[in-house]
Amino acid sequence: MSAGKLGSLKRVGAKALLLILNVALLVSYRRLTQRFSERMRHLPSFAAPATFTEKIHWRKIFDDDPRFAIVLDKLKAKEFVRDRLPWLLVPAVLWRGDDPREIPFDELTIPYIVKCNHGCNMNAVVPDPATADRDAIIAEMSRHLAETYGSRKLERGYAHIKPQVFVETLIGRDQGYQPVDYKFNVIAGRVAFVVVTSFRSTVRKTALFDRDWRRLAVVQGGIDASLEIARPQSFSRMVEAAEILGGEFDMMRVDFYEDGGEPVFGEFTIYPRSGLQQFDPPAFDRELGARWDIAASGYLSRPSSRFARRYRAVLVAAGRI
């Protein structure tokens, strides 16, 4: 048998193995499969992902990189950033602890925000310390501390974080303490796209831009994409910072604010919107997926198990990485 025919047979065999593995994953991760199918209107390929959204789900299932727990921890992430970019502004921590009843409210005289470090949307904004509802804040933070964030969506990186509560300086005074959020999606060390989000009261508007602040003709399903906004003064430095911080990973989202014309670090996200973005046009999802090389992930670049090594070999043989 010629080498060409043998190689062709290997590819066919590898693709068949990936199909079998994908069926097993669809069944084993029924909740992920159901949520993805309902939102995206097609079955996902978990075993051999091609789109950006499929690769986020692949990361959930396979890649439990220990670095994820560092960058997802809102306290440890600050040190991660300071070690790499001493010039980048990082909101100061005014207090941290394990028990929200110990928050020193009487000592907090400037606008602040109370957060938990082990998840998202665990915040209490206090623009006026004199009117802080202390009992409500303590109750809310106590409830969050008892949560295992991300478990239902299989966002495993959060499970390794020791929950704490902390108080951070509040930024965005000139924006009514609702600063515009600049979300930089970095793939293979380069900003692929930027999601800009603005909240005014309960109204949320967004816009998508490329690395050079050119507006993209792309929307995310169900989200108002009519935001009109000028290029931020510190945009070029945001790009620089995002690519330095995100460049250590195969894909990373790095969020910033701008305060007084200076970039301010916000947070890291390794599962953007939990992999359920409905990009319109859908081709954008495929384009981003083509840029993201999962072979550079911690799981495949440093395979630590026999299965991981064999799985990588099958992906290579099938031409999927």
Side-chain angles (χ1 to χ4, degrees):
M1 183 179 295
S2 68
K5 287 184 178 180
L6 182 60
S8 180
L9 284 174
K10 285 183 177 180
R11 279 192 297 275
V12 170
K15 289 179 180 180
L17 287 173
L18 290 174
L19 283 173
I20 294 169
L21 176 60
N22 197 57
V23 171
L25 293 173
L26 292 175
V27 173
S28 298
Y29 297 95
R30 291 184 184 88
R31 181 177 290 173
L32 292 186
T33 301
Q34 181 180 358
R35 287 173 59 86
F36 187 98
S37 301
E38 288 175 351
R39 185 70 62 87
M40 314 305 286
R41 304 302 184 196
H42 67 85
L43 282 174
S45 175
F46 290 152
T51 66
F52 182 71
T53 50
E54 286 177 337
K55 288 183 177 182
I56 292 173
H57 281 78
W58 178 90
R59 172 178 273 184
K60 291 183 186 182
I61 294 169
F62 289 102
D63 196 10
D64 196 19
D65 190 323
R67 297 176 299 168
F68 291 165
I70 296 173
V71 295
L72 290 177
D73 184 324
K74 296 187 186 307
L75 289 168
K76 291 183 178 179
K78 293 176 182 290
E79 296 307 315
F80 183 93
V81 171
R82 290 190 183 104
D83 287 346
R84 289 154 179 78
L85 294 174
W87 58 266
L88 182 61
L89 294 177
V90 178
V93 174
L94 305 175
W95 177 88
R96 61 191 289 178
D98 301 317
D99 188 345
R101 292 173 298 182
E102 297 177 359
I103 296 173
F105 290 104
D106 291 335
E107 299 174 16
L108 300 171
T109 58
I110 61 174
Y112 61 88
I113 180 169
V114 185
K115 297 182 177 181
C116 286
N117 68 322
H118 67 297
C120 299
N121 299 316
M122 296 178 169
N123 308 325
V125 177
V126 185
D128 181 3
T131 61
D133 189 335
R134 302 182 182 192
D135 290 339
I137 292 171
I138 291 170
E140 183 180 356
M141 293 303 118
S142 296
R143 186 174 67 254
H144 290 321
L145 286 172
E147 296 178 29
T148 302
Y149 185 86
S151 58
R152 294 191 64 195
K153 298 178 181 179
L154 199 66
E155 297 177 351
R156 293 185 292 167
Y158 291 104
H160 307 302
I161 301 172
K162 179 183 181 295
Q164 285 192 296
V165 61
F166 66 102
V167 180
E168 180 181 278
T169 54
L170 191 60
I171 65 168
R173 179 179 178 182
D174 60 342
Q175 300 174 68
Y177 296 114
Q178 291 184 312
V180 175
D181 200 354
Y182 301 91
K183 306 172 187 291
F184 288 72
N185 292 263
V186 180
I187 301 175
R190 188 172 176 84
V191 172
F193 68 105
V194 185
V195 180
V196 182
T197 303
S198 175
F199 285 91
R200 286 297 174 266
S201 297
T202 59
V203 179
R204 176 188 185 189
K205 292 186 178 182
T206 69
L208 272 68
F209 295 88
D210 70 5
R211 187 179 181 276
D212 298 307
W213 195 255
R214 291 182 294 235
R215 193 175 189 117
L216 299 173
V218 177
V219 299
Q220 298 180 86
I223 301 177
D224 186 331
S226 64
L227 178 65
E228 296 295 334
I229 188 169
R231 174 184 172 125
Q233 183 178 336
S234 63
F235 182 73
S236 61
R237 284 183 291 164
M238 290 183 188
V239 171
E240 177 189 355
E243 293 183 343
I244 291 173
L245 297 171
E248 297 186 29
F249 302 85
D250 49 321
M251 190 285 293
M252 176 64 69
R253 199 186 83 194
V254 191
D255 297 359
F256 301 94
Y257 305 105
E258 185 174 70
D259 197 30
E262 295 293 326
V264 181
F265 171 72
E267 64 181 2
F268 292 104
T269 302
I270 65 171
Y271 314 107
R273 299 199 65 201
S274 206
L276 294 172
Q277 299 99 318
Q278 293 172 292
F279 290 114
D280 184 15
F284 190 66
D285 194 9
R286 295 191 293 273
E287 177 188 332
L288 294 175
R291 297 188 196 183
W292 182 355
D293 182 12
I294 60 172
S297 67
Y299 183 76
L300 292 177
S301 65
R302 301 179 297 277
S304 59
S305 69
R306 191 177 194 183
F307 174 84
R309 291 189 290 272
R310 289 187 174 181
Y311 176 42
R312 176 185 170 87
V314 170
L315 286 169
V316 170
R320 302 311 296 262
I321 61 172

